[in-house]
């Protein structure tokens, strides 16, 4: 019985903290606005030489694009493309998944476009040879 009361007290306390009843607001880390990277800014992570031309077009949102080897989460390269623009680079030869995040307000590579980030993945595999 004593254990049940203790568990009930813990559950009520957790509920109160989450809902703000005890005066505590849900604390979400504040995001820090970061200046947009230049259009076409690329970071390479692969050791292979970039030989294949790659062009990325962005729509009305900014895009942070990541190429990963099929079945891997490790990036081969990342590229930032500003809204309404396109960018070109060279990528290593290989077979890739194209993953991209889009949005309007940039908070850096860790937070991307904050809570408004739209995550996507191309439906087709990209073969560069």
């Amino acid at each position: 019985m004593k254990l049940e009361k203790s568990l009930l007290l813990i559950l009520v306390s957790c509920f109160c903290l989450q809902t703000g009843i005890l005066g505590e607001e849900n604390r979400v880390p504040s995001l820090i606005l970061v200046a947009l990277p230049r259009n076409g800014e690329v970071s390479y992570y692969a050791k292979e030489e970039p030989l294949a031309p790659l062009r990325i077009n962005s729509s009305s949102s900014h895009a942070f694009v990541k190429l990963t080897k099929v079945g891997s989460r490790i990036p081969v390269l990342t590229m930032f493309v500003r809204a309404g623009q396109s960018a070109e680079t060279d990528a290593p030869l290989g077979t890739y998944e194209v993953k991209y995040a889009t949005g309007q307000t940039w908070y850096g590579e860790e937070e991307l476009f904050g809570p408004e980030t739209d995550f996507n993945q191309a439906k087709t595999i990209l073969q560069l040879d």
Side-chain angles (χ1 to χ4, degrees):
M1 185 71 164
K2 188 174 185 179
L3 179 61
E4 290 174 352
K5 287 183 181 179
S6 296
L7 288 175
L8 181 59
L9 181 59
I10 291 170
L11 290 173
V12 169
S13 296
C14 290
F15 174 77
C16 290
L17 285 173
Q18 288 177 345
T19 58
I21 292 175
L22 296 179
E24 291 289 324
E25 301 209 9
N26 290 337
R27 301 216 183 256
V28 176
S30 59
L31 297 173
I32 298 171
L33 188 64
V34 176
L36 286 177
R38 66 177 172 74
N39 187 59
E41 185 170 306
V42 177
S43 294
Y44 290 98
Y45 302 95
K47 295 179 183 176
E48 298 85 11
E49 186 176 356
L51 299 172
L54 176 67
R55 180 184 177 105
I56 305 290
N57 299 314
S58 184
S59 62
S60 59
S61 296
H62 304 299
F64 183 73
V65 181
K66 178 168 51 172
L67 259 58
T68 60
K69 291 187 179 183
V70 173
S72 172
R73 300 183 97 184
I74 300 169
V76 171
L77 71 79
T78 59
M79 177 189 284
F80 191 91
V81 184
R82 288 186 175 202
Q85 298 185 29
S86 62
E88 297 179 8
T89 191
D90 291 326
L93 302 177
T95 306
Y96 301 106
E97 294 176 337
V98 180
K99 301 170 184 177
Y100 55 100
T102 58
Q104 296 299 322
T105 307
W106 183 242
Y107 297 102
E109 287 190 34
E110 289 294 317
E111 299 295 333
L112 301 174
F113 301 99
E116 304 302 317
T117 302
D118 187 18
F119 294 97
N120 297 283
Q121 181 171 336
K123 293 179 180 159
T124 57
I125 300 297
L126 178 63
Q127 179 68 45
L128 298 176
D129 46 23

